Structure formats: C-alpha cells, structure tokens
Amino acid sequence: MNWKRVNHYLHIAFLVGVFSLAVPALFAQQADDGSLYYPAGSQPFGMTYGDWVVAYWQYIFSIPLSTNPAFGDMTGVYCNLDQGSGPVYFLNASGFPNTPITRTCTVPAGKALWVPNLLNECSTVEPPPSHGDNPQELRQCALAGTDAVVLNSVKFVVDGHRIRDVARFRVQGPFYDFVMPAHDNILGLEGVTGGSSVVDAYAVMLKPLRRGYHVIHFEGTFGPPHEDWGSYSVTYNLTVQ
C-alpha cells in the first residue's frame, strides 16, 4: 500500500469536510433575520419611516453645500455636524454619482442609525423636472424619479450581513416645509431660503450597534428614463463608542 497516497487522500477528505462545515456557516452569516433593523412599518422613537425621511432631508437642506455631510463630504469629516442629542444618528447618502465613497466616523453608543440610500426629492422652488406647485404634483414628481431605481441594484450591508427584500424599505415622506441657507445651499439657488417638498427614498433604520468597529455599505443605480442620474456607492467605517 502506498501510504503517501493514502495520506494525500485523507488530507483532501479532511479539507473537504472542513469546507462543507464552513459553507453553511458562511451563508448563515449572510442571513437576514430582521434583528439589525426596525421593520419598515414600525414607528422607531414615535416616528414612521416617512417622518424620518422628512427629518433627514430637513437636516440636509439646513446645512451649507460646502460643509454638507451628503453633498460636500467624501471622507467623513462632517459626520458629526449638527447631529444633535436625539436617539437617531444620520448616516448620509451620496451626492457624488458614479463615485464610490468611503467615510470614517465615530458614532455615540446607543444611537439608532438612519441609513438613506437612494432619494429623490421635488420641491416648490426647484426648476423642472424636480418642480411641483402642490402636494399632489410633488408626490408624483418624487415617485417618478424613484421609480427609475433598478431594484436589484439596491443594497444595504451591515458587517457582511445583507438586508433582504429591500422593496420593503422604499418610503415616501409626507409633504413638508424646509429651510436652507440663502447662500451656498444644496440647490444652488441664490437668495432662496426655503420651500416645500416631498421625498421618495430607499432607506432603513438600523438598531443601535454594539461598541466597536463596524462597516456599513449601501449602493444603488438609477435606470431608464433617469440612467443619467448614475450609480451611488457609500461605505461607512464606524467606531461606536
């Protein structure tokens, strides 16, 4: 008997066995059991998902473009700007189409995380195609833009765990008013200090993460008739402490 050959086969059998055990564990790690997030139909901290998408967009409108954590930040330097002392910490969507972004931030422990991925807003002060004169027109405008999102391109991943069935997390906020700086605002409208708007978005509210290091990634792509709006990809390297 050739013992070298027998040992060789035993070694292969051992590796196959280890791999067979590892594969289920790998897929289990990727499972979505709902423990990471608040359900889309819930009311985290007394507010619906629609209320939170409005609160987030009011926050974004209020900050000048030059220091805006969505439209003026590719590294995370403005992560903590105007976050306040409430129970929710806003991560930020990308204002940079077709440009992968990585932001590094320190987040207070115990905070839920609002993760806005793809958003389309229309307002009473913007020109077409993002203009509406009343709540009904604004809702249709916001809806039409987000309808162009390629659903299977939308991803939310938390520490390697991908959230499934992302269609649940499409939300349209109620009609709302916003205030923005008269100069250096995100709409580029000199002298305009506010308006009314509706937002339609893919977003998820994550439950507070344990202390330590975490990676959150989200991405998505607009398709016809708005394929020129491009793709968006954001990775957050978070330290929760």
Side-chain angles (χ1 to χ4, degrees), residues 17-179:
V18 169
F19 180 75
S20 298
L21 291 172
V23 167
L26 176 64
F27 280 98
Q29 186 182 25
Q30 303 302 317
D32 175 7
D33 62 3
S35 63
L36 292 172
Y37 51 83
Y38 296 94
S42 66
Q43 295 188 22
F45 312 103
M47 293 171 58
T48 66
Y49 264 58
D51 295 331
W52 280 113
V53 78
V54 165
Y56 171 71
W57 208 242
Q58 288 173 323
Y59 163 74
I60 290 301
F61 268 126
S62 72
I63 302 173
L65 175 63
S66 56
T67 57
N68 195 280
F71 293 89
D73 186 3
M74 298 188 71
T75 65
V77 65
Y78 300 123
C79 281
N80 293 307
L81 185 64
D82 295 341
Q83 286 282 357
S85 58
V88 175
Y89 186 98
F90 292 139
L91 299 188
N92 287 284
S94 167
F96 305 92
N98 305 315
T99 304
I101 293 174
T102 299
R103 297 175 178 140
T104 301
C105 308
T106 299
V107 178
K111 295 266 192 177
L113 301 177
W114 178 251
V115 185
N117 192 346
L118 298 172
L119 307 96
N120 181 51
E121 66 84 30
C122 295
S123 75
T124 54
V125 295
E126 293 170 80
S130 297
H131 180 83
D133 289 316
N134 56 61
Q136 183 177 1
E137 289 181 3
L138 290 170
R139 289 190 186 99
Q140 289 301 316
C141 175
L143 181 76
T146 313
D147 276 347
V149 170
V150 180
L151 183 58
N152 64 11
S153 75
V154 180
K155 296 178 183 177
F156 296 93
V157 183
V158 182
D159 292 334
H161 298 263
R162 183 172 175 180
I163 295 175
R164 306 294 180 182
D165 190 17
V166 295
R168 295 174 292 167
F169 298 103
R170 180 175 174 179
V171 56
Q172 186 174 101
F175 178 77
Y176 69 98
D177 297 325
F178 64 89
V179 175

Side-chain angles (χ1 to χ4, degrees), residues 2 16 22 81 98-99 101 107 117 135 155 160 165 169 171 174-175 180 183 192 197 204 215-216 218 231 233:
N2 187 327
V16 169
L81 185 64
N98 305 315
T99 304
I101 293 174
V107 178
N117 192 346
K155 296 178 183 177
D165 190 17
F169 298 103
V171 56
F175 178 77
M180 64 183 182
H183 313 289
V192 179
S197 173
V204 64
V215 178
I216 296 176
F218 48 97
S231 298
S233 174

